[in-house]
Amino acid sequence: MQLVFEQIRSGGDRNFGYLLGDRDAGRAVLIDPSYSPDAFVARAREQGLTVTHIINTHCHEDHINGNARAVELTRAPVAAHPACPVSVEVPLSEGGNLSVGSLQLQFLHVPGHAADHLAVYEPAHDILMTGDLIFVGKVGGTRTDEDARVEWDSLQRVLKAIRPSATIWPGHDYGARPSSTLALERATNPFLRCADVDAFLQLKREWPDYKKRLGLR
Ligand SMILES: [Zn+2]
């Protein structure tokens, strides 16, 4: 197995998508190839990789708007959570797996920011693609306290299920750095430092002031 892993700035609202594959097998997947699907496919082709799936972490427009073009270019099926409102040929839910050459991707269902949200984990290299669940320095926005409670539960499950050494790769470049580790986020991300769900809800309410006070962007 030879890992191919590229973080691609796709456009939009500082969106990140990913090319992930096994060079030896000549196989790769695109993750959230929005805004510039041609660039994602070009990176795969330049390396002689066949795109086997187009994976969406969740089905917000800014993550799926490249699907149609990516499918047209690759003929690969779209893989996402079955609750996704777009057509999903390969349904992925909690505990699901997908082989990409010798890579074995694992999926965690992590609702909150979106009901259909998945985190994508590649265990051999300890890579976790967090979509809009965990960003560097913050977490995905939620519209109601109820959604925020659901997100809190998802975060706690991820912290239990995935090794702290895992590198994390978010769906937007919102932080001080483009990637992080679970351990570093646990130590520094104010939302992951919350002692309980009430502190988490409180921080969400205070976030605009908190950001201003600390000079965060
Ligand atoms: Zn989103």
Side-chain angles (χ1 to χ4, degrees):
M1 178 205 303
Q2 198 187 342
L3 180 72
V4 175
F5 184 50
E6 296 191 13
Q7 182 182 48
I8 298 174
R9 289 177 194 277
S10 60
D13 182 18
R14 292 175 272 167
N15 278 67
F16 278 138
Y18 297 90
L19 170 69
L20 176 64
D22 177 354
R23 197 181 304 283
D24 290 337
R27 298 254 179 285
V29 294
L30 307 181
I31 299 171
D32 293 345
S34 50
Y35 298 103
S36 44
D38 289 73
F40 285 75
V41 174
R43 282 305 296 148
R45 287 193 178 147
E46 283 157 20
Q47 299 173 75
L49 302 166
T50 300
V51 174
T52 61
H53 297 83
I54 291 146
I55 297 174
N56 293 129
T57 57
H58 64 298
C59 290
H60 284 164
E61 182 58 25
D62 62 322
H63 293 257
I64 62 171
N65 67 36
N67 281 12
R69 176 67 178 154
V71 168
E72 184 187 330
L73 291 169
T74 63
R75 301 284 156 214
V78 171
H81 192 272
C84 202
V86 298
S87 90
V88 172
E89 286 169 85
V90 179
L92 300 168
S93 40
E94 174 66 26
N97 283 281
L98 192 70
S99 300
V100 186
S102 301
L103 302 178
Q104 291 287 335
L105 303 186
Q106 300 174 0
F107 297 87
L108 293 92
H109 182 216
V110 288
H113 170 77
D116 55 17
H117 204 302
L118 296 166
V120 185
Y121 184 52
E122 196 288 294
H125 303 88
D126 225 3
I127 292 167
L128 180 68
M129 275 141 293
T130 53
D132 290 5
L133 175 69
I134 306 175
F135 301 117
V136 176
K138 66 175 190 173
V139 296
T142 43
R143 279 185 304 203
T144 64
D145 276 6
E146 183 48 37
D147 285 351
R149 286 177 190 280
V150 171
E151 183 177 70
W152 167 263
D153 288 342
S154 292
L155 291 166
Q156 300 315 305
R157 281 200 306 113
V158 167
L159 292 175
K160 274 208 190 81
I162 308 294
R163 288 191 286 267
S165 55
T167 56
I168 67 152
W169 302 88
H172 295 268
D173 188 14
Y174 286 160
R177 303 169 297 281
S179 75
S180 186
T181 66
L182 219 41
L184 190 52
E185 289 310 296
R186 200 196 277 261
T188 62
N189 185 318
F191 293 96
L192 299 189
R193 286 169 55 91
C194 287
D196 54 37
V197 67
D198 291 327
F200 182 72
L201 295 176
Q202 184 67 17
L203 179 59
K204 286 220 163 204
R205 283 192 281 267
E206 290 174 355
W207 183 240
D209 286 342
Y210 184 100
K211 265 173 75 168
K212 215 179 199 173
R213 211 164 57 235
L214 272 64
L216 304 176
R217 285 185 298 165

